Amino acid sequence: MSITIENLNKRFGDHIALNNINLEVKSGELLALLGPSGCGKTSLLRIIGGLDVADSGSLLFHGENVVERDARERNVGFVFQHYALFRHMTVFENVAFGLRVKPKRERHTEAEIRRRVTHLLELVQLDWIADRYPSQLSGGQRQRIALARALAVEPRILLLDEPFGALDAKVRKELRRWLRHLHDELHITSIFVTHDQEEALEVADRVVVMNQGKIEQVGTPDEVYATPATPFVYQFIGNVNLFHSRIHSAWTQQHGDAVAYVRPHDIDISHTQQDPASLAGEIRLVRAIGAVVRAEVAVAGSDELVEIELSRERFEAQPLVNGDQVFIRPRQVRVFDESVKGSL
Amino acid sequence: MAQFKAHSVLPGFNLALGYTLLYLSLIVLVPLSALFFKTAALGWAGFYDIASSDRVLAALRVTFVTSFAAAVTNAVFGLVVAWVLVRYRFPGKKLVDAFVDLPFALPTAVAGITLATLYAPNGWLGQYFAAHDIKVAYTPLGIVVALTFIGLPFVVRTVQPVLADVEAEVEEAAASLGAGRWDVFRRIIFPAIYPALLTGFALAFARAIGEYGSVIFIAGNMPYISEIAPLLIVAKLEQYDYAGATAIAVLMLLISFALLLGINALQWWSSRKGAR
């Protein structure tokens, strides 16, 4: 089931939540809506799910306009950040809920409901807690039950609102891998909202980066990381160093106001000057964080600190110590004209 | 005693328990046992005579039936009031919210006289009922009106916070699963507020059983028809028949106790099923 969004607008009082959104979601893909809080990603998800109404614009499921349709008629599965499980029902009844409220003529027999729910609980690997109540489960288990519940009505589209936001780091990592596997099995068109770039890059087929009610870039995880379309995307996804053309014209190679964006791992560092464009500086901090070593270099003649990442191997071949005089040189630079710089 | 004493960061278990027992004894148990002692002066035969007299039985029936009807009415309409106060925003909401508590503050006799005047056949409201041959004041229906008035805050105030606690997300989840409005109410909201509603019902019911002041003005107090048991007690007291008065009181007490115990059991059963 593909989704087409055209010229969608939504305001809350004076706040513009969504500003003329156009987006095409392909059938069967797993799409991430990524952005800082308040960027409109959750509003967009809720409008697709029919929980909120857009002020203007159209929303098509497989070419069919669904704007007028109620949440209960859209056949969309929704998973909430805080699970929203039914407290007074067992896990089994939670998952069975969508099947039990179907109109009489469409409703399955009790045996069929039982079979389907059991199958779903096996799918989320929680068939052994069918008789428990939500309050007896851990956060990760609750979210998997919420997912099973959403899948029970065989939705055409699955929407997940910060599904792992309330979980601790380790469980979050496990669950997002699991979600990816589940999606590969079911191939249901899915959109999930997150503010965690790592999560979006790891799980999604395509990432939509949003900021202040607008879409900044749509692309595969590799595209948005390697070739960011706007300064905002550059800064939001991954770490970045900024160099102003006024000070470092050799780097931006451009006159007038421009800013060069350089990723920390795209900077070479050496004790000898190998290139006239290199900047001289002094090491201020060296930290080994797992597989990478992070160094901060104070550029001579300015108070800027440049962040540099190098692999452990490279660090061991060329050890760096606080106070070393070094030269840094970018391998890859992306220059944005000052005038197009997105606000942060 | 040690086995009941769970470790707690707050000290004072012994003191608190001792205080609770003393307080309950002084305020509740001593007066109630005095009631039973006084009644015991009648002996079994005397007690049975009073308990089985037609007038007493009729008065008890009037009391419990009207109280039950008033509590049911409050459960339904109190729920609506709580719903409106929690779910909607409208000008004057705070004022409406404050109105709910008025029946608590008003002397019950004032309420009784006011209601009797309003619902009398020639009163502001009574005349419209009278046009359809319905008498409200001076009938059991009038008693129900008075008891509904005094019991309203119980249901509203017990249901309100629980209803406010039901997350909007849970209802949205139900809607996205295809549940209609009625299904959402019946399967999601009602089970969540049901224990609180039952508590409110029990409180309103208990309050109505013991109500005297407002009822006697609107009831008409006709024996066998609109005479309530508390009035009968007062009547016996005025004739210095203390033992007879306490006998009726004991009877009321036993019935009330049994009913409240039943409601509590129902509540315990439903909350055990739910809020685990």
Side-chain angles (χ1 to χ4, degrees):
Chain A
M1 178 70 51
S2 67
I3 307 170
T4 310
I5 297 160
E6 285 166 354
N7 307 322
L8 206 69
N9 287 289
K10 175 75 181 175
R11 305 173 70 107
F12 292 107
D14 289 338
H15 176 68
I16 299 172
L18 295 174
N19 188 357
N20 210 29
I21 298 286
N22 286 283
L23 183 66
E24 181 83 43
V25 185
K26 293 175 203 149
S27 191
E29 80 173 329
L30 178 52
L31 188 86
L33 295 179
L34 176 65
S37 57
C39 72
K41 54 193 193 302
T42 295
S43 297
L44 182 57
L45 195 77
R46 288 175 61 87
I47 288 170
I48 297 171
L51 300 177
D52 269 336
V53 184
D55 298 337
S56 64
S58 57
L59 173 66
L60 297 97
F61 288 178
H62 215 83
E64 186 187 347
N65 199 339
V66 294
V67 166
E68 297 295 318
R69 263 196 248 164
D70 222 315
R72 66 183 63 96
E73 296 158 348
R74 287 197 189 178
N75 199 7
V76 162
F78 208 106
V79 175
F80 296 85
Q81 179 176 5
H82 297 288
Y83 330 121
L85 291 176
F86 308 134
R87 268 184 288 183
H88 59 282
M89 294 183 195
T90 60
V91 163
F92 184 92
E93 285 305 319
N94 262 282
V95 178
F97 182 84
L99 301 171
R100 293 207 193 281
V101 296
K102 275 188 197 289
K104 258 220 170 85
R105 55 204 149 65
E106 296 171 32
R107 204 179 301 158
H108 303 292
T109 60
E110 184 60 34
E112 176 64 12
I113 291 177
R114 197 151 279 280
R115 195 190 64 77
R116 281 175 184 241
V117 173
T118 310
H119 173 74
L120 280 164
L121 288 175
E122 279 165 11
L123 188 72
V124 299
Q125 299 152 9
L126 288 174
D127 47 318
W128 50 285
I129 53 168
D131 295 328
R132 299 215 191 146
Y133 285 85
S135 57
Q136 297 168 300
L137 309 184
S138 71
Q141 289 172 334
R142 285 184 209 186
Q143 198 55 293
R144 282 192 277 167
I145 294 303
L147 193 62
R149 182 179 67 176
L151 291 173
V153 289
E154 298 179 330
R156 301 178 300 172
I157 292 161
L158 189 61
L159 305 174
L160 306 104
D161 183 11
E162 302 252 6
F164 315 128
L167 304 170
D168 63 66
K170 194 166 181 305
V171 178
R172 190 157 39 183
K173 216 157 188 170
E174 266 171 42
L175 264 193
R176 68 190 188 213
R177 282 211 187 110
W178 175 81
L179 176 70
R180 183 66 239 188
H181 288 311
L182 192 74
H183 184 266
D184 292 342
E185 253 175 70
L186 300 174
H187 284 295
I188 171 171
T189 309
S190 311
I191 304 179
F192 78 100
V193 156
T194 180
H195 61 263
D196 181 347
Q197 34 127 337
E198 200 185 314
E199 192 169 294
L201 298 183
E202 187 178 325
V203 178
D205 293 322
R206 285 198 306 154
V207 178
V208 177
V209 185
M210 292 183 69
N211 183 34
Q212 296 190 334
K214 282 193 194 147
I215 292 179
E216 296 269 338
Q217 186 174 11
V218 183
T220 63
D222 201 42
E223 278 166 13
V224 294
Y225 186 80
T227 55
T230 65
F232 173 81
V233 179
Y234 227 119
Q235 300 194 37
F236 192 73
I237 297 178
N239 294 321
V240 73
N241 292 297
L242 270 63
F243 297 94
H244 287 272
S245 60
R246 276 171 308 223
I247 305 161
H248 311 292
S249 56
W251 285 35
T252 54
Q253 296 172 341
Q254 188 174 330
H255 298 291
D257 276 350
V259 180
Y261 288 74
V262 186
R263 297 267 191 225
H265 56 77
D266 281 336
I267 296 179
D268 277 336
I269 185 163
S270 67
H271 284 98
T272 54
Q273 183 166 21
Q274 290 161 339
D275 186 325
S278 302
L279 290 174
E282 187 187 307
I283 303 252
R284 283 288 162 81
L285 186 80
V286 180
R287 277 272 146 83
I289 302 159
V292 296
V293 177
R294 206 165 276 171
E296 274 178 21
V297 174
V299 178
S302 77
D303 51 0
E304 277 178 77
L305 280 177
V306 179
E307 202 183 312
I308 295 165
E309 263 175 33
L310 53 168
S311 68
R312 196 172 265 278
E313 273 180 337
R314 213 147 144 181
F315 174 75
E316 277 162 3
Q318 182 195 37
L320 300 167
V321 189
N322 272 359
D324 276 7
Q325 297 298 320
V326 291
F327 295 91
I328 55 172
R329 192 174 59 96
R331 280 196 304 268
Q332 233 184 60
V333 185
R334 181 78 193 274
V335 180
F336 288 99
D337 206 317
E338 187 83 305
S339 55
V340 299
K341 187 177 183 281
S343 50
L344 272 171
Chain B
M1 192 65 67
Q3 59 189 331
F4 296 115
K5 198 174 164 180
H7 180 77
S8 161
V9 284
L10 290 174
F13 171 77
N14 291 331
L15 189 68
L17 183 70
Y19 173 76
T20 305
L21 290 179
L22 179 72
Y23 187 80
L24 276 180
S25 303
L26 283 178
I27 302 290
V28 181
L29 288 179
V30 169
L32 287 190
S33 37
L35 202 64
F36 280 88
F37 272 119
K38 192 80 196 171
T39 310
L42 285 172
W44 280 113
F47 180 72
Y48 182 78
D49 272 350
I50 292 173
S52 63
S53 80
D54 288 346
R55 194 166 168 190
V56 170
L57 286 179
L60 286 173
R61 203 181 58 234
V62 169
T63 297
F64 284 97
V65 169
T66 54
S67 297
F68 185 79
V72 168
T73 312
N74 272 328
V76 175
F77 291 97
L79 177 59
V80 175
V81 172
W83 180 272
V84 169
L85 287 176
V86 169
R87 288 302 169 105
Y88 304 109
R89 292 173 61 183
F90 52 90
K93 177 173 160 172
K94 287 250 163 73
L95 202 66
V96 174
D97 202 35
F99 279 156
V100 170
D101 288 328
L102 275 187
F104 275 164
L106 210 62
T108 50
V110 175
I113 294 166
T114 311
L115 289 173
T117 317
L118 279 177
Y119 285 98
N122 56 355
W124 280 4
L125 295 171
Q127 56 183 322
Y128 300 111
F129 286 103
H132 295 90
D133 278 332
I134 302 169
K135 268 189 81 180
V136 180
Y138 316 125
T139 65
L141 192 58
I143 304 177
V144 175
V145 170
L147 295 179
T148 306
F149 176 81
I150 54 137
L152 174 75
F154 290 106
V155 174
V156 179
R157 291 295 177 233
T158 48
V159 172
Q160 213 174 358
V162 180
L163 196 58
D165 251 11
V166 179
E167 300 156 85
E169 275 191 355
V170 173
E171 289 169 45
E172 288 172 353
S176 76
L177 289 168
R181 285 170 214 283
W182 172 240
D183 270 320
V184 173
F185 181 79
R186 191 168 62 104
R187 292 171 182 268
I188 307 298
I189 299 172
F190 190 74
I193 61 173
Y194 171 67
L197 189 66
L198 209 57
T199 304
F201 170 82
L203 287 172
F205 186 44
R207 175 79 178 80
I209 291 168
E211 177 59 14
Y212 172 74
S214 63
V215 176
I216 52 163
F217 291 101
I218 197 171
N221 306 325
M222 280 179 294
Y224 302 102
I225 297 168
S226 59
E227 185 179 54
I228 55 167
L231 181 70
L232 215 53
I233 296 174
V234 174
K236 287 209 185 290
L237 285 178
E238 279 170 353
Q239 294 155 17
Y240 305 105
D241 180 7
Y242 295 129
T246 53
I248 302 174
V250 164
L251 217 50
M252 284 184 72
L253 203 64
L254 290 176
I255 301 171
S256 302
F257 186 72
L259 286 171
L260 291 178
L261 201 66
I263 292 171
N264 268 332
L266 201 62
Q267 203 170 20
W268 175 79
W269 175 76
S270 68
S271 66
R272 214 177 62 104
K273 224 178 108 209
R276 267 196 294 196

